[in-house]
Amino acid sequence: TGKILYSVVLDPTDKDATQSVSLQPINEFIKNNGERFVLGDDPRNPGEQKIFSAAPYAVDGREGYVYIVLAGKKFEEVSGNLLGQYFAKLGIGATLLTMIFSAIIGLLAIWFLTKNLRLITRTVRSFHDGDLNARIERPEESDIEVFAKSFNNMADSIVGNMDKMKSVDLLRRELIANVSHDLRTPLSILKGYIETLQMKRDSLSESEKEEYLQITHDNVDRLSKLINQLFEYSKLEAEQVVPVKEPFSITELSHDLIAKFKVIAEQKQVTLQLDNPQENCMVYADVSLVERALQNLIENAIKYTEPKGKVTLSLNKKGENVEINITDTGTGIPVNEQPFIFDRYKQVDGKTKKL
């Protein structure tokens, strides 16, 4: 029946202890002669099965089985300790592997996330070291597009400001050159007419004296006006001033210029003449800038024309436009120097001609 008649491990007073075990595992164990293990009931732990050993016996007409549970309490304690140590070591190993793997993943993530930042850092250092062309290429493809574009815009602004500072410094030096160059013309005219009045005051008629004095007076006004305009012209060259255009008579301006340079031309024995159509030619431009340009051209033409030569200021009306030409009988400008005629104060060979 499987009833437990005697036990060396069970407490007889324990009413909850198992009083019997199943015979089916015992019969199966005996049947296969113990060649394979079979799980049987554990009297100390009802409901659990463990490895056992069993053998039949017969004493004084009584038959039964000797039933021994092999996995005893000590075995369980040892097994529990070993299993606990195994899982502890397994946990430590798993923790270390997880930490190493996490560190590798973290380093890779940091490297990837800071790749563009390192690129910006290198570019900033290059810009700091003097490479003003250093820019972040394709900023729209960067993970930090806003910072990349901001740096490029900042670099462009810095370079632009540096160019403006250089332009201002160049403007300051050119202004000094402008003062000496542009003031020379009215001063030369003043000197010429004053000297004429001094030398020929007895032979000049009153109308001629009045004319010469008026020209002198006009050039004093011109000199004062020119001084005030020099700064405006410098701003114009720095693209800070827009020309003030207005309609005016280029014919009248041409007559005034011929009258102003008449004495200087006579002193050099150069014929100065005006070739213009009968009708009055009107143009729409900045009168001060046009006058300054024509005045400089006439002055240079007279200066570099040999005695008994001729300088001609001609006006040719072409439809709604007026073509202005200043020609002289001088040696002219060599072909190889003509590309440089608009360079400021360019001198040909240092002697023969000034552009």
Side-chain angles (χ1 to χ4, degrees), residues 1-3 5 23 26-27 30 54-58 63-68:
T1 61
K3 182 179 180 180
L5 300 178
L23 295 179
I26 296 175
N27 293 329
I30 294 175
Y57 74 91
E63 295 182 355
Y65 299 96
V66 178
Y67 186 76
I68 302 173

Side-chain angles (χ1 to χ4, degrees), residues 31 35 40 63 67-68 97 103 210 304 337-338 347 355:
K31 183 178 179 181
E35 293 181 357
E63 295 182 355
Y67 186 76
I68 302 173
L97 288 176
E210 185 66 26
Y304 296 104
E337 295 288 348
Q338 291 181 7
Q347 193 98 17
L355 308 186

